[in-house]
Amino acid sequence: MKESAILVTGGAGYIGSHTVRMLAEDAGRKVIVLDNLVYGHSESLVSPGVTLVRGDVGDRVAVDAIFEAYAIEAVVHFAAYCYVGESVTDPLKYYRNNTAAPLTVLEAMQCHGCDKFIFSSTCATYGNPVTLPLSENHPQDPINPYGRSKLMLEQILRDCERAFGLRSVWLRYFNASGCSPDGLIGEDHDPETHLIPLVLMAIKGERENIKVFGTDYPTPDGTCIRDYIHVLDLGRAHVMALDYLEKGGATVACNLGTGKGVSVKEIIAIAEELTGGKVPVEFVERREGDPPELVADPRFARAKLGWEAEYKDVREIVRTAWKWLSGPRGGRY
Ligand code: UDP
């Protein structure tokens, strides 16, 4: 008899590694991570019993070998590129990796009779909000190749359900942030482009300053508003989505956010207050493709999966990010 396991693609990345830890340590699942370690870090896989297979999601031989060796009950799919700017200059890289490569995993699933798939989707599939907060039935009209590369996979998954019964949960993340509160694992992107780590790195003196992209938005303080969601809340949603599918749930999309918007200036003020440091700020032009406000309506995730954010106060998110960045590893693996 083959050992049962959950296959986590991209499990050595930021959100993946936090989820792997929850699946292994809290849910007691056997986890196989498939990661090419281009952006992921093998050191982030800290739980005993997790097996790392170094390889590409698009490599049919590597994927088949996993399905041959284990009884894969479900696939949790993180492996993707996530730089919006890069997706504009190099769209084919994004369509190849985020849209085309996962087809290999879906083919293997069809072949081996695995019918549960949890997908890291994104609020970037909505594009510019027409109504706020964003609910799952808001029109999806992404404004960059990154968002389109994810939306296309959602559509493919819908077709797979119709054709051969593959059921999936599409988790549309808002702004993933924070780190494991024990400081053991965290966010280590190269390059780092996200606001909270950049602000904290500026406080540490690792960066000269933080550039605030635009102060003339139609928001109370003129800077962009985002819905920052803790990485542990995201991880927990994957465990709950797995439970939902194992109980026979049908394909569904769920927003993962707190439902609360926080501005760029507010993040800077909170970071200064929590660390006692000072953020050198430079106000610059708007960044292309940034909507003024993105806030989730998270009620459907609660109704469908029983999930809601536990880290509702962004201070706690910034606090955990600071613990990782100011800890023994200094924010690096
Ligand atoms: N932002 C900023 N300076 C930076 C990075 C981000 O002002 O160096 C702003 C950005 O315009 C957005 C918010 O911070 O309004 C969050 O950006 P991030 O890149 O973290 O996530 P995104 O919303 O793009 O997914």
Side-chain angles (χ1 to χ4, degrees):
M1 263 268 280
K2 290 198 268 189
E3 186 182 5
S4 296
I6 307 296
L7 172 58
V8 181
T9 72
Y14 167 46
I15 306 169
S17 60
H18 286 80
T19 305
V20 164
R21 222 178 147 192
M22 286 182 155
L23 283 167
E25 295 179 23
D26 304 338
R29 309 299 291 241
K30 168 70 189 173
V31 178
I32 312 297
V33 169
L34 175 62
D35 198 303
N36 60 14
L37 301 182
V38 170
Y39 289 112
H41 307 276
S42 57
E43 301 91 330
S44 69
L45 300 172
V46 293
S47 313
V50 171
T51 301
L52 170 65
V53 176
R54 187 170 181 173
D56 283 314
V57 165
D59 178 349
R60 185 63 196 263
V61 175
V63 173
D64 264 336
I66 294 171
F67 278 87
E68 295 296 343
Y70 296 92
I72 298 297
E73 295 173 303
V75 175
V76 186
H77 176 64
F78 291 102
Y81 295 140
C82 62
Y83 295 111
V84 170
E86 185 187 50
S87 82
V88 175
T89 54
D90 197 354
L92 297 182
K93 178 174 175 180
Y94 279 70
Y95 293 123
R96 166 70 62 198
N97 191 60
N98 294 6
T99 316
L103 300 185
T104 306
V105 175
L106 296 174
E107 284 163 355
M109 291 176 73
Q110 182 181 18
C111 210
H112 293 268
C114 176
D115 69 348
K116 298 179 233 10
F117 189 88
I118 297 165
F119 173 43
S120 298
S121 190
T122 166
C123 65
T125 60
Y126 294 118
N128 284 320
V130 181
T131 52
L132 283 165
L134 285 150
S135 68
E136 288 77 0
N137 52 22
H138 184 281
Q140 286 180 291
D141 188 11
I143 55 170
N144 52 58
Y146 168 69
R148 278 189 284 276
S149 73
K150 293 274 185 174
L151 176 58
M152 283 182 207
L153 194 58
E154 288 191 359
Q155 291 164 339
I156 290 166
L157 289 168
R158 173 69 74 205
D159 291 338
C160 291
E161 179 174 46
R162 279 199 206 105
F164 57 94
L166 184 141
R167 293 170 298 119
S168 52
V169 179
W170 317 335
L171 297 173
R172 295 184 186 145
Y173 310 157
F174 281 67
N175 284 62
S177 41
C179 297
S180 183
D182 62 11
L184 199 57
I185 61 172
E187 182 171 18
D188 178 5
H189 287 126
D190 187 18
E192 186 52 79
T193 61
H194 294 115
L195 181 67
I196 292 177
L198 288 179
V199 166
L200 295 174
M201 286 156 90
I203 288 178
K204 273 180 81 182
E206 286 178 8
R207 301 179 66 88
E208 209 181 305
N209 61 21
I210 179 85
K211 292 186 171 53
V212 171
F213 299 138
T215 51
D216 58 349
Y217 282 99
T219 59
D221 67 17
T223 64
C224 283
I225 290 176
R226 294 290 179 270
D227 184 337
Y228 295 90
I229 179 78
H230 197 282
V231 68
L232 287 196
D233 279 326
L234 294 181
R236 203 163 40 79
H238 292 74
V239 179
M240 296 176 94
L242 178 60
D243 186 53
Y244 164 84
L245 289 175
E246 287 182 332
K247 288 185 172 136
T251 295
V252 74
C254 290
N255 285 339
L256 299 181
T258 62
K260 222 182 115 202
V262 182
S263 76
V264 174
K265 279 188 178 166
E266 284 173 322
I267 292 286
I268 292 172
I270 288 167
E272 289 185 334
E273 185 196 315
L274 284 177
T275 61
K278 187 84 196 123
V279 185
V281 175
E282 190 186 336
F283 295 106
V284 298
E285 288 301 295
R286 292 181 177 195
R287 184 172 69 177
E288 206 188 324
D290 266 342
E293 184 169 353
L294 289 172
V295 176
D297 177 345
R299 286 176 300 178
F300 188 70
R302 186 174 178 181
K304 213 66 194 171
L305 306 179
W307 175 90
E308 87 179 295
E310 283 177 1
Y311 289 85
K312 289 204 172 79
D313 182 351
V314 76
R315 275 163 219 280
E316 288 308 308
I317 294 179
V318 177
R319 203 190 300 279
T320 59
W322 180 242
K323 182 155 186 187
W324 163 247
L325 273 165
S326 60
R329 284 183 181 271
R332 290 270 171 244
Y333 284 110

